[in-house]
């Protein structure tokens, strides 16, 4: 089902490998690279957030700019992220007490260190999905939908989001689960996820799709956080839409409609950017900030705190 997509080298010794599935398509949607089974359903996890954000806009959510980017985020939990979540809720007439996401600590290293130093404890606000949940609540308020049951798969909000994902992916949801944050999760294939991201990145002027794509790329620090790989990637490729997800999922689309969707089979995230950059290179991606892509293309392997090797893309991605 999967193939070796990344190699972990310690010195000149191949220590480990990561298997995965990768689907890359050109501007016309034609397959450029296919590793594994691209039509096999999987849970996109947080890579679904930009699609869900579009669904909320279609349902009447009035959000744009950095706050819309935050609705698409797995944020680090930095102060500006938390302030943004509060703003979304306040504009909807709600407080942080309305959030139904799982209580958690910030996921950014610096943010976590500062938060714990101040005596912080896990809360729904500091959970990395709180921006999405705040936007879900604001959508419910805009439609006079129940805000206490918004995580129910049968809630009008979740039905609308499922319909949007199916529309963008061009396929029916294969399974429904529960994400780590408590929200419903909809399984689609890699080809469908890549297509969905391409629909966002190629939205025409004034479209809701373009609003999502522009917000994410313009305010990439709200989608991830300071120094995060996803933030750096969107900063390096103007007009791109990128979002990672738990269990080793990553999707990227470019303004010309080229797109990539991938998953590391063991759920590890350490090879994500390595494999993604290799796939983007197969699509011919170049940029004025090519040094950023070069850095993301190799992840150092440490020994005694110093680089002694690297995680590199497997040959199947480089051919």
């Amino acid at each position: 089902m999967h193939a070796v997509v990344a190699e972990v080298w310690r010195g000149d010794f191949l220590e480990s490998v990561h298997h995965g599935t990768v689907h890359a398509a050109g501007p016309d949607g034609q397959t450029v690279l296919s590793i594994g089974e691209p039509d096999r359903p999987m849970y996109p996890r947080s890579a679904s957030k930009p699609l869900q954000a579009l669904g909320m806009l279609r349902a009447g959510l009035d959000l744009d700019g950095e706050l819309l980017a935050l609705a698409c985020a797995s944020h680090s939990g930095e102060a500006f992220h938390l302030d943004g979540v509060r703003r979304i809720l306040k504009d909807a007439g709600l407080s942080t007490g309305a959030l139904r996401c799982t209580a958690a600590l910030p996921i950014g290293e610096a943010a976590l260190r500062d938060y714990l130093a101040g005596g912080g404890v896990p809360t729904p606000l500091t959970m990395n999905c709180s921006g999405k949940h705040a936007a879900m609540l604001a959508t419910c308020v805009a439609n006079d939908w129940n805000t206490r049951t918004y995580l129910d798969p049968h809630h009008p909000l979740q039905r609308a989001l499922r319909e949007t994902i199916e529309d963008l992916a061009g396929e029916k949801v294969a399974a429904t689960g529960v994400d780590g944050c408590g929200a419903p999760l909809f399984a689609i294939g890699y080809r469908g996820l890549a297509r969905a991201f391409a629909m966002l990145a190629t939205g025409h002027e004034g479209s809701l799709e373009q609003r999502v794509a522009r917000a994410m790329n313009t305010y990439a620090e709200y989608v991830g956080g300071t120094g995060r790989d996803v933030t750096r990637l969107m900063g390096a490729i103007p007009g791109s839409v990128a979002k990672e997800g738990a269990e080793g999922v990553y999707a990227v689309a470019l303004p010309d409609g080229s797109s990539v969707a991938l998953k590391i089979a063991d759920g590890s995230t350490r090879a994500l950017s390595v494999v993604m950059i290799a796939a983007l290179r197969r699509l011919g991606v170049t940029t004025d900030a090519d040094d950023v892509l070069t850095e993301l293309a190799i992840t150092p392997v440490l020994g005694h705190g110093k680089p002694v090797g690297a995680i590199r893309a497997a040959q199947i991605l480089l051919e």
Side-chain angles (χ1 to χ4, degrees):
M1 185 175 72
H2 301 286
V4 174
V5 293
E7 300 174 341
V8 183
W9 289 86
R10 187 170 294 273
D12 58 359
F13 187 84
L14 179 60
E15 184 173 32
S16 303
V17 297
H18 289 289
H19 293 77
T21 293
V22 183
H23 175 75
D28 56 0
Q30 184 174 359
T31 300
V32 173
L33 174 68
S34 184
I35 299 172
E37 300 178 30
D39 294 312
R40 187 182 182 90
M42 53 88 177
Y43 284 130
R45 301 300 296 271
S46 284
S48 298
K49 287 174 178 173
L51 317 183
Q52 293 170 311
L54 176 63
M56 288 184 258
L57 293 182
R58 288 181 174 181
L61 176 65
D62 185 15
L63 213 58
D64 205 352
E66 71 273 18
L67 298 186
L68 179 54
L70 190 55
C72 304
S74 297
H75 64 73
S76 293
E78 296 171 75
F80 67 90
H81 294 130
L82 307 186
D83 288 343
V85 175
R86 294 187 187 98
R87 285 169 57 196
I88 295 172
L89 292 169
K90 182 179 179 181
D91 289 346
L94 300 170
S95 70
T96 57
L99 293 169
R100 294 285 182 269
C101 49
T102 310
L105 293 167
I107 63 173
E109 289 185 17
L112 175 59
R113 184 172 58 251
D114 292 345
Y115 187 69
L116 292 176
V121 298
T123 70
L125 174 65
T126 48
M127 203 267 179
N128 73 87
C129 301
S130 62
K132 176 184 76 173
H133 281 254
M136 286 181 170
L137 285 162
T139 306
C140 290
V141 170
N143 288 278
D144 197 26
W145 291 335
N146 192 317
T147 57
R148 294 187 60 82
T149 60
Y150 74 94
L151 297 183
D152 188 321
H154 302 294
H155 190 284
L157 169 70
Q158 301 301 338
R159 293 203 304 268
L161 301 191
R162 175 178 178 140
E163 290 172 3
T164 297
I165 289 173
E166 291 181 333
D167 175 46
L168 292 175
E171 62 184 72
K172 291 294 184 181
V173 165
T176 301
V178 180
D179 210 340
C181 64
L185 187 61
F186 305 116
I188 55 175
Y190 301 82
R191 194 188 310 271
L193 181 60
R195 179 182 184 275
F197 268 64
M199 295 285 283
L200 293 178
T202 59
H204 62 78
E205 186 68 32
S207 68
L208 297 179
E209 288 85 354
Q210 184 200 52
R211 189 194 297 187
V212 173
R214 181 172 292 170
M216 291 179 67
N217 191 268
T218 304
Y219 299 97
E221 70 276 13
Y222 277 82
V223 178
T226 304
R228 292 267 297 278
D229 287 356
V230 69
T231 299
R232 299 179 67 202
L233 178 60
M234 284 192 283
I237 307 177
S240 61
V241 179
K243 186 70 189 73
E244 79 279 56
E247 295 301 319
V249 179
Y250 207 172
V252 175
L254 309 178
D256 69 354
S258 300
S259 57
V260 179
L262 64 88
K263 176 177 169 63
I264 306 302
D266 62 9
S268 172
T269 59
R270 66 178 181 172
L272 267 188
S273 290
V274 170
V275 177
M276 177 56 74
I277 298 303
L280 290 173
R281 295 294 196 198
R282 288 289 295 271
L283 290 174
V285 171
T286 58
T287 171
D288 291 339
D290 207 57
D291 56 327
V292 174
L293 301 189
T294 299
E295 289 179 17
L296 294 174
I298 296 178
T299 297
V301 169
L302 303 181
H304 200 49
K306 298 179 180 180
V308 296
I311 303 174
R312 298 188 176 93
Q315 187 61 38
I316 192 172
L317 280 156
L318 305 176
E319 295 171 349

